[in-house]
Amino acid sequence: MRLVVVMPFAMLALAGCQREERSLRLDPPVEAGLDEVRVMSNGIGGAPPKVYVALGRPYENNAFDLDQGKRLYDWFGCTGCHAHGGGNTGPAFLDGWWQYGADPVSIFVSIRDGRTAGMPAFGRYLTTEQIWQLTGYVQTIGAYSAKTAAPSRNDEMQSRPSENRAPATLGALQPPSR
Amino acid sequence: MGELHRHPQVIRFAAKLRGLTLVGVLAASSALAQSDPGAQLSASTSFSALDEIGAGNVQRLTGGPVFATGRFGGQAGAPSAAGDLVYIETGFPNAIFALELAQASPSVAWSYAPEPDGRARGLSCCGRTEFGPVLSGAKLYANTLDGRTVALDRRSGNKFWETKLADLSNGETLASPPVVADGKVLVGNAGDEFGARGWIAALDAESGRILWRQFSTGPDAEIGIGPSFSPFDPRDRGTDRGVATWPPSAWQHGGGSVSGRIIYDPELRLVFHGTGRAAPWDAQERPGANRWTSGLFARDPETGQARWFVAFGARDPYARGGVAQDVLLDAPWKGSARKLLLHPDGNGFLYVVDRVSGEMLAADPFTHTDASPEPAGPGAVAGPVPSPDENVVVRDICPAWSGATGAGSPAFSPRTGLLYLPVSRLCMDFEPRHASYLAGTPFIGANIKVKPPKDGTSGALVAWDVQARKAAWSMNEPFPLAGGVLATAGDLVLYGTLDGMIKARDARDGKLLWSFAATDGIIAQPATFNSSNGHQYLAVMTGLGGGFGIAERNMLDPLDQSAGLGLAAALSRLPTLRERSATLYLFRLP
């Protein structure tokens, strides 16, 4: 008898379990397309690749990608120069003050090509997909509004409010003095 | 980073400086007439024989800001004076100013500002960073953060030569002034935090040609280890310890930079220099004794061959390095006269070493420390040192990675027999993390929060009685002392603080005799010199920066307690300072 009661719920639950498709490697044409950011001549802002838009801006709101970005952030030594968003020799992200723009294209270009005042170019170490994952994650640290997805919790000593819990607030468009 | 490129601007401080020309100069930096061995030694002790300004009249000092460099922050170099010019080298982008103080307000005789390599900004990390021109004969020598050593004409600023020494793509920079020894200019690199392999190089003072370069890790031939080498620890007599004490090939990016001051002893004809922390900071990734990092070398300046080595931080699991500044002293030790080297280490111990033989005579804690000295005392040999596990947080370790001392130079007064140590009492939580080496990016492997000690204040000025081997007195400071100390024959100890105070204390009992509030933080050592009219001046550079000033300098966000390797949050109580330009302050008696 009891089975009869449970079954419909179990079937409902199973039906809701749609698995997200994920390939080990991006389709080469997609990956190549994702590299085609059209950046403004001053290196700040621009249009994201067509594929990126067509795919529905995948790296900004997908928990898996954000999480990959978070791991890459630690593995590739971003923490050494930017700490966990508070900055070190590199600028802070947490404060929402971006020198080169808060949009994904600016962030992508900063990571891929580096910036003159000491940001190394990581294009030679990372795949295009990884750079987008990092872009999504870095944007989360200094986001102005909460996103619909968040990376998983830290597996290391927590040093700040977790991502997406305390969106950055930008005052009167002034760089924070401390 | 929002660099302000203002033109140098002379502040119209209607200074009582009329008719001032400078002679018989003594700067607190190593910028002394190198031909005079006595002066050279006093450079290492930061003691000035001038006594016009003294404990009795310091309260009457008048003065203030006289010259703004237009360079934003990070002024760790003291001014030095010679003839009628005062020389200043600013932090990155480095510029050198020669100021003429002959008129009512100083004027720029010449300035030199080479086009900077911006990559150096991201590499300016974590440690002691000090610049300052070094005067020798008609020349002035200086290093720049982006890796160059230059020789300029002292009177005109014309360039004689420039030699590119540090490779920025490997994370290497230059972070300390050069030193002139016997017709050679000695330069050491910085860059432990990027896994750069430490080295010291000698350039021909006339041509800038590289004569030799010796490393801190690797095979004996590259370190300058040969028959004349006798290390203090007998286990170090084996061959190629700089390779054998590392996991395979780890020595190639093992750190050990020569980023502190190099000291030359012309009498013994020896050069002394510390070696920085091993890379990465996560000690689990580098099992072994990690020679020759976190220790001290004595070398022959002619060839660079090593004479002896003592290690200070066994494996240095908390990354305090060995580049804090030494003091050379000839003094009795247990009844017999000895040539001593005092090394106040970042780990909180004061080491006394016989600088002829390299024998360690004493190791005493000068502040609260959890470290154990290596070796565990004179004559003993250190056992294995436990290092924290990866991904495990070790809490409340003191001192923090930034060291119990080391950012600024200590001073020794022969009149009191006391060594004045600028001390930081910060502690930390430390979590080793796996680090992979990528050239030009940080090779640290540590997640760190820094905090004030549980008891007491974050800083102190400790007066250490070298003979009695204990502190004679200690004065608390609200913030770590990051700049150097100057002692004078007027029985004064002078220093600047991160929150912009210039203080003069009685060298005998530490009593605060005079203080002045500047508009910016200070990380430079004060200097003093005599003018041609025979009057003594006190000169201080303001300009917050360096490891302790990084939060203000780089606009870090202290909401992240790991920002600035933990220092941003630990020092978030520092007042926000108004001045955005490194500025020279001058004081004299009315």
Side-chain angles (χ1 to χ4, degrees):
Chain A
M1 256 313 105
R2 187 169 292 170
L3 201 64
V4 177
V5 182
V6 173
M7 273 300 272
F9 288 106
M11 285 171 72
L12 262 178
L14 274 175
C17 214
Q18 192 222 337
R19 290 192 134 248
E20 190 180 308
E21 287 283 330
R22 194 168 297 122
S23 53
L24 282 177
R25 202 173 149 236
L26 280 184
D27 258 354
V30 174
E31 170 121 20
L34 279 175
D35 201 34
E36 278 158 24
V37 287
R38 280 153 297 156
V39 65
M40 304 280 282
S41 58
N42 63 358
I44 302 178
K50 293 202 182 74
V51 204
Y52 181 80
V53 181
L55 289 174
R57 312 179 79 92
Y59 299 100
E60 290 168 45
N61 279 313
N62 178 302
F64 171 79
D65 287 319
L66 290 176
D67 206 48
Q68 287 300 99
K70 181 168 180 167
R71 302 170 80 183
L72 294 167
Y73 187 85
D74 191 22
W75 290 349
F76 281 82
C78 311
T79 40
C81 292
H82 296 286
H84 295 92
N88 186 22
T89 57
F93 301 135
L94 205 54
D95 56 14
W97 177 259
W98 299 89
Q99 274 163 268
Y100 298 98
D103 62 296
V105 173
S106 304
I107 299 177
F108 179 88
V109 170
S110 292
I111 302 172
R112 186 187 64 183
D113 304 341
R115 296 288 186 183
T116 48
M119 169 67 194
F122 280 87
R124 62 201 155 128
Y125 298 127
L126 300 162
T127 65
T128 302
E129 186 181 30
Q130 288 173 321
I131 299 177
W132 278 114
Q133 287 169 334
L134 270 168
T135 302
Y137 175 67
V138 167
Q139 210 188 15
T140 310
I141 305 178
Y144 303 136
S145 55
K147 289 186 174 182
T148 52
S152 63
R153 67 181 177 84
N154 280 4
D155 66 348
E156 60 192 320
M157 174 169 65
Q158 190 85 27
S159 65
R160 58 156 162 73
S162 52
E163 301 88 350
N164 226 14
R165 296 289 153 74
T169 46
L170 196 61
L173 273 175
Q174 282 292 313
S177 74
R178 323 194 27 86
Chain B
M1 299 255 52
E3 199 61 42
L4 294 187
H5 280 288
R6 263 188 272 145
H7 287 294
Q9 150 208 14
V10 173
I11 295 175
R12 304 241 160 248
F13 163 66
K16 298 164 186 84
L17 298 173
R18 208 168 298 276
L20 175 70
T21 44
L22 306 164
V23 293
V25 161
L26 187 105
S29 73
S30 50
L32 294 164
Q34 304 282 340
S35 50
D36 177 358
Q40 180 64 47
L41 279 192
S42 66
S44 99
T45 57
S46 300
F47 176 77
S48 161
L50 302 182
D51 61 0
E52 184 192 359
I53 304 173
N57 58 13
V58 65
Q59 297 84 355
R60 294 195 289 122
L61 277 186
T62 60
V66 295
F67 176 73
T69 59
R71 299 271 161 161
F72 167 37
Q75 179 65 44
S80 51
D84 46 8
L85 293 179
V86 169
Y87 301 91
I88 299 167
E89 181 177 8
T90 69
F92 187 76
N94 307 95
I96 299 169
F97 294 94
L99 301 181
E100 218 158 332
L101 298 186
Q103 301 91 24
S105 55
S107 61
V108 179
W110 56 261
S111 68
Y112 173 79
E115 185 61 33
D117 183 335
R119 288 180 297 162
R121 156 114 38 241
L123 302 176
S124 149
C125 182
C126 324
R128 180 187 168 116
T129 308
E130 182 192 9
F131 293 95
V134 172
L135 307 168
S136 174
K139 291 198 180 65
L140 172 155
Y141 302 95
N143 289 339
T144 64
L145 184 73
D146 55 9
R148 291 173 275 186
T149 302
V150 293
L152 307 179
D153 184 325
R154 189 159 134 174
R155 302 237 46 103
S156 66
N158 290 339
K159 188 161 80 184
F160 288 119
W161 52 257
E162 170 180 318
T163 304
K164 175 93 185 164
L165 278 167
D167 177 4
L168 298 187
S169 60
N170 272 338
E172 259 174 36
T173 48
L174 300 183
S176 54
V179 74
V180 181
D182 251 356
K184 293 178 193 60
V185 181
L186 304 181
V187 180
N189 73 343
D192 304 324
E193 299 78 18
F194 298 86
R197 204 178 150 205
W199 51 253
I200 173 173
L203 309 180
D204 178 33
E206 285 309 310
S207 67
R209 197 165 49 86
I210 301 180
L211 301 173
W212 52 258
R213 193 191 302 244
Q214 306 288 7
F215 290 85
S216 302
T217 66
D220 285 356
E222 292 177 25
I223 295 178
I225 289 181
S228 56
F229 179 63
S230 97
F232 176 62
D233 186 337
R235 292 170 305 176
D236 280 337
R237 306 223 168 96
T239 48
D240 289 340
R241 294 274 295 163
V243 173
T245 56
W246 292 88
S249 81
W251 58 270
Q252 288 168 7
H253 32 73
S257 69
V258 185
S259 55
R261 281 213 200 142
I262 301 166
I263 299 182
Y264 176 51
D265 181 342
E267 204 184 312
L268 291 177
R269 295 185 54 100
L270 281 180
V271 161
F272 306 99
H273 70 83
T275 57
R277 43 175 87 91
W281 296 13
D282 173 6
Q284 294 293 340
E285 308 217 352
R286 43 177 176 85
N290 306 144
R291 290 295 184 253
W292 308 87
T293 59
S294 294
L296 185 92
F297 270 116
R299 295 182 183 277
D300 176 353
E302 209 51 50
T303 57
Q305 287 293 308
R307 199 63 66 76
W308 51 257
F309 175 88
V310 284
F312 299 125
R315 309 217 338 92
D316 205 4
Y318 298 106
R320 292 152 186 147
V323 295
Q325 191 179 323
D326 312 310
V327 168
L328 308 188
L329 200 66
D330 294 351
W333 187 261
K334 297 206 171 124
S336 56
R338 287 191 100 146
K339 292 188 174 299
L340 303 177
L341 180 149
L342 310 181
H343 173 86
D345 196 78
N347 68 10
F349 282 85
L350 179 80
Y351 295 86
V352 181
V353 180
D354 179 318
R355 70 177 190 271
V356 182
S357 64
E359 182 193 348
M360 191 182 287
L361 303 173
D364 303 303
F366 58 82
T367 182
H368 173 75
T369 171
D370 304 329
S372 50
E374 187 207 28
V381 163
V385 175
S387 51
D389 283 331
E390 252 172 29
N391 306 327
V392 171
V393 183
V394 187
R395 299 203 188 266
D396 299 311
I397 290 285
C398 310
W401 66 270
S402 45
T405 192
S409 309
F412 177 82
S413 167
R415 290 171 53 90
T416 58
L418 299 178
L419 178 70
Y420 303 96
L421 297 164
V423 168
S424 157
R425 302 181 67 238
L426 295 176
C427 302
M428 67 177 173
D429 294 348
F430 187 91
E431 180 189 26
R433 304 278 298 171
H434 175 76
S436 352
Y437 178 74
L438 283 182
T441 70
F443 190 42
I444 293 180
N447 186 15
I448 301 172
K449 288 184 200 173
V450 177
K451 45 195 179 182
K454 286 214 169 103
D455 54 327
T457 56
S458 298
L461 179 74
V462 173
W464 184 263
D465 187 328
V466 178
Q467 296 296 333
R469 294 175 59 182
K470 61 178 174 44
W473 48 262
S474 167
M475 292 294 152
N476 287 343
E477 285 287 340
F479 299 103
L481 287 189
V485 180
L486 169 73
T488 73
D491 284 334
L492 293 176
V493 244
L494 298 141
Y495 57 95
T497 66
L498 289 174
D499 56 344
M501 298 300 290
I502 304 169
K503 295 188 179 177
R505 290 187 183 274
D506 190 314
R508 293 159 293 198
D509 57 15
K511 196 166 155 265
L512 184 65
L513 299 174
W514 174 79
S515 69
F516 182 92
T519 48
D520 195 1
I522 300 166
I523 56 167
Q525 190 177 29
T528 188
F529 44 78
N530 252 354
S531 70
S532 63
N533 57 22
H535 290 296
Q536 184 187 354
Y537 280 79
L538 170 67
V540 181
M541 289 298 306
T542 62
L544 190 59
F548 291 111
I550 195 166
E552 178 76 11
R553 176 84 184 71
N554 285 1
M555 301 192 301
L556 304 190
D557 192 332
L559 188 60
D560 173 6
Q561 288 175 279
S562 69
L565 286 160
L567 289 177
L571 297 175
S572 63
R573 304 251 300 276
L574 267 184
T576 307
L577 300 155
R578 280 161 284 158
E579 201 57 57
R580 290 270 152 178
S581 165
T583 300
L584 171 68
Y585 283 64
L586 276 185
F587 302 92
R588 55 162 289 178
L589 293 172

